[in-house]
Amino acid sequence: MAKKEKASHKLSSVLPSGGKELSFFEKVYQVARQIPKGKVTTYGDIAAFLGAKKSARMVGWAMNGAHSQEKPVPAQRVVNRNGMLSGKAHFATPTLMQELLEQEGIAIENDTIVDFKNKLWKPE
DNA sequence: TTGTTGACCTCTT
DNA sequence: CAAGAGGCCAACA
């Protein structure tokens, strides 16, 4: 029973029409899900992994539609190069991102991940 | 249709 | 060291 969750939200064309080739957005979602718990990654690393280092902006834009995806996308594990929770304002609540990361065991201070470099994880 | 904005990154002044 | 501009692709008005 394929229940179609109505993605009547803004990004309706996020899902490819029977497309085998994953769009740039979907690739970002998959990589984000591959992030191990207690680790974080950056937009640039994901973009670079996809082969478009300069398209780091699209990664953030893709995260904007992550909420529209049927599967949960740990967008909270994705932060900017400075390790700062730049996208926290786009979550349900501005503190949700920090809360989620803290649940994972990541310490956050001043909207920035503590020892971010040590918790940084990169896609293979 | 064009123009602007956007959860970014890197280089240059 | 700090600030500014450019570049990438996609969605929205």
Side-chain angles (χ1 to χ4, degrees):
Chain A
M1 325 58 141
K3 44 178 79 169
K4 305 165 176 185
E5 288 290 319
K6 319 180 182 176
S8 51
H9 292 288
K10 291 151 188 194
L11 299 178
S12 54
S13 58
V14 173
L15 298 175
S17 37
K20 295 183 175 180
E21 293 214 6
L22 302 176
S23 295
F24 194 92
F25 283 63
E26 285 204 358
K27 289 179 185 174
V28 176
Y29 300 139
Q30 290 196 349
V31 174
R33 294 186 193 121
Q34 287 168 10
I35 300 173
K37 180 178 172 189
K39 296 270 182 131
V40 291
T41 188
T42 67
Y43 302 100
D45 285 348
I46 295 174
F49 175 71
L50 298 176
K53 176 168 118 184
K54 296 173 184 178
S55 301
R57 280 178 128 186
M58 298 297 83
V59 180
W61 225 208
M63 284 296 157
N64 202 3
H67 186 61
S68 199
Q69 293 304 300
E70 298 182 6
K71 293 184 179 176
V73 179
Q76 53 271 10
R77 290 178 185 164
V78 183
V79 294
N80 64 349
R81 200 60 165 143
N82 296 321
M84 181 169 133
L85 285 58
S86 52
K88 71 176 180 145
H90 287 262
F91 277 74
T93 54
T95 54
L96 179 62
M97 189 172 185
Q98 182 172 341
E99 292 288 320
L100 291 172
L101 289 172
E102 286 181 343
Q103 289 179 13
E104 302 267 318
I106 298 175
I108 300 196
E109 190 169 307
N110 198 3
D111 295 338
T112 309
I113 297 176
V114 179
D115 199 3
F116 160 70
K117 182 181 170 190
N118 187 22
K119 292 182 163 108
L120 178 61
W121 174 87
K122 234 178 118 182
E124 305 186 80

